[in-house]
Amino acid sequence: MPRSEPAGFEPSTVAASYARAVLNATGDGADGTAGAGVWAPPGDRLPFTQVRALWDVVIGAGGGDPHAGLRVGDGIKPGSLHVLGHVVLTCATLAEAAEAAVRYHPLVSQAGTVSLERGGEGTRIRYRPTVDPATMRPQQVEAVVTGMVRAARWIAGDDWAPLSVSFTHARTGSAEPYARILGCPVTFGAAENALTVANRDLDLPRAPYDPELGALHRAYADRLLRELSTSVTLADRVRQWLDHAPLDGTGPADAGRGVHLSPRTLRRALQEEGTSWRALLDAARHRRARRLLETTDLPLDRIAPLVGLSGATALVRAFTRWEGVTPGAYRARARALDDHGHDRVPPAPAAQAGHSPR
């Protein structure tokens, strides 16, 4: 079952236009079983938890359709990505389109971020979920990455393909659809969700393109981005920062620099939102510990410093408080459920991700 957001957080939201694309690309939902919310005006926003429930319907019980994400991503149309899709259509190069994806992806979904790393020959375009990994299906990640490939083909042509694609999760279905749809080598169990694009492809000029129309779309997208940013709580911004920060020795001064606030202002603002730095740090350690236990074979004495704890004993004590079970028992249950194609282990009923450390 999907995991609820920790207390004190505004839920991440997703554009209704993207939720519609999930249904349209799979042919599901015409009977309304996925919920009326997905038929909201395309510019409306839906809670991530509602979109996750929609994915559960599309994928089917027990993860029955492992390739649903591929089909959703490959079926993406410009309107599915709200104004970002129209910005992409007016870009002069793939490099410009990739930069637009980094900037405007929150307009499509606040459940993840897009980033770029340019190398000598190729550029990595990464996608990182910002929600608890236990709440996002692998198919959702595959839809985002495949959607980026499809959007690139709007500019580069249907025969274009990246150099490679990687996913952090394991493959559960046949390899053939990945090779056919993505057109490149695909790696699973990797360090990141990403596609690698040749720089020569990124920099190839596109003709013709419409810079004036592109400027209009960008101005509109910037206005929507400003409006969206005012609806995100400080706690959510700190949570997203913590999800990518080293947790060993991290303090409010570090987070304050990340969100451009002094430590004193940060503490006061978080208190006004009904939470605290200690609670958010504790929740971040909880999320990271869950992810490492679910996705790696690292021993506890190596996981402990990665979540900012002094050692295996401290990790066992903290994790038992969070989940009501030891890390070893949690990992065993998670593996057992994964072997049967089910979701990750839900939290124990008594666990509260927002608890302050004792």
Side-chain angles (χ1 to χ4, degrees):
M1 59 180 291
R3 187 173 185 178
S4 60
E5 296 283 342
F9 291 118
E10 292 281 336
S12 298
T13 61
V14 179
S17 59
Y18 188 79
R20 288 172 179 241
V22 174
L23 293 181
N24 292 340
T26 60
D28 286 319
D31 60 356
T33 56
V38 298
W39 306 117
D44 282 5
R45 304 196 66 83
L46 306 175
F48 171 78
T49 50
Q50 183 174 346
V51 178
R52 162 60 199 256
L54 166 63
W55 273 99
D56 288 344
V57 172
V58 170
I59 295 169
D65 187 353
H67 300 123
L70 280 175
R71 284 196 292 276
V72 169
D74 195 45
I76 287 292
K77 302 292 190 296
S80 308
L81 304 180
H82 203 337
V83 68
L84 171 57
H86 300 291
V87 170
V88 168
L89 287 177
T90 57
C91 286
T93 62
L94 279 181
E96 189 177 312
E99 290 164 0
V102 171
R103 178 171 179 80
Y104 299 119
H105 181 76
L107 295 178
V108 181
S109 172
Q110 293 172 296
T113 61
V114 177
S115 62
L116 299 178
E117 181 183 358
R118 185 162 182 133
E121 299 294 328
T123 294
R124 299 279 284 174
I125 305 174
R126 298 188 179 98
Y127 175 71
R128 294 179 177 173
T130 53
V131 297
D132 187 329
T135 68
M136 184 172 280
R137 293 270 201 150
Q139 289 93 331
Q140 292 175 264
V141 174
E142 292 180 4
V144 173
V145 175
T146 306
M148 289 194 285
V149 174
R150 171 49 57 194
R153 287 171 177 160
W154 301 338
I155 297 176
D158 287 340
D159 293 335
W160 179 85
L163 295 175
S164 63
V165 166
S166 64
F167 297 109
T168 60
H169 55 264
R171 178 171 60 85
T172 56
S174 167
E176 185 277 331
Y178 294 95
R180 173 170 46 83
I181 291 175
L182 297 172
C184 66
V186 181
T187 302
F188 295 87
E192 57 191 9
N193 306 299
L195 59 147
T196 302
V197 182
N199 289 341
R200 64 178 180 274
D201 291 348
L202 283 177
D203 298 331
L204 189 67
R206 177 193 185 199
Y209 75 100
D210 192 334
E212 290 80 12
L213 183 58
L216 289 174
H217 287 318
R218 285 176 181 271
Y220 178 49
D222 284 332
R223 178 168 69 81
L224 293 179
L225 203 59
R226 288 192 297 271
E227 293 173 357
L228 183 63
S229 67
T230 62
S231 68
V232 177
T233 67
L234 175 62
D236 205 15
R237 292 167 59 197
V238 172
R239 179 174 72 104
Q240 293 184 20
W241 182 87
L242 280 167
D243 280 343
H244 305 295
L247 299 181
D248 187 11
T250 296
D254 304 298
R257 285 190 291 272
V259 297
H260 310 295
L261 293 174
S262 70
R264 182 178 179 181
T265 301
L266 176 73
R267 289 183 185 275
R268 183 174 64 250
L270 290 175
Q271 184 177 11
E272 290 173 355
E273 291 185 6
T275 188
S276 69
W277 163 253
R278 285 173 59 83
L280 298 182
L281 179 60
D282 192 54
R285 288 171 170 164
H286 182 189
R287 290 192 300 275
R288 191 165 299 181
R290 281 172 54 98
R291 181 167 70 250
L292 291 170
L293 288 168
E294 292 172 354
T295 62
T296 76
D297 294 316
L298 290 173
L300 299 188
D301 59 354
R302 290 187 59 191
I303 290 177
L306 296 178
V307 300
L309 296 174
S310 59
T313 300
L315 175 59
V316 171
R317 185 167 55 248
F319 199 85
T320 303
R321 169 170 57 84
W322 292 326
E323 292 286 339
V325 296
T326 65
Y330 178 88
R331 174 178 268 168
R333 288 167 53 194
R335 298 290 168 83
L337 288 178
D338 279 352
D339 288 344
H340 290 85
H342 294 133
D343 289 336
R344 298 293 189 189
V345 178
Q352 295 183 15
H355 273 178
S356 298
R358 290 176 181 171

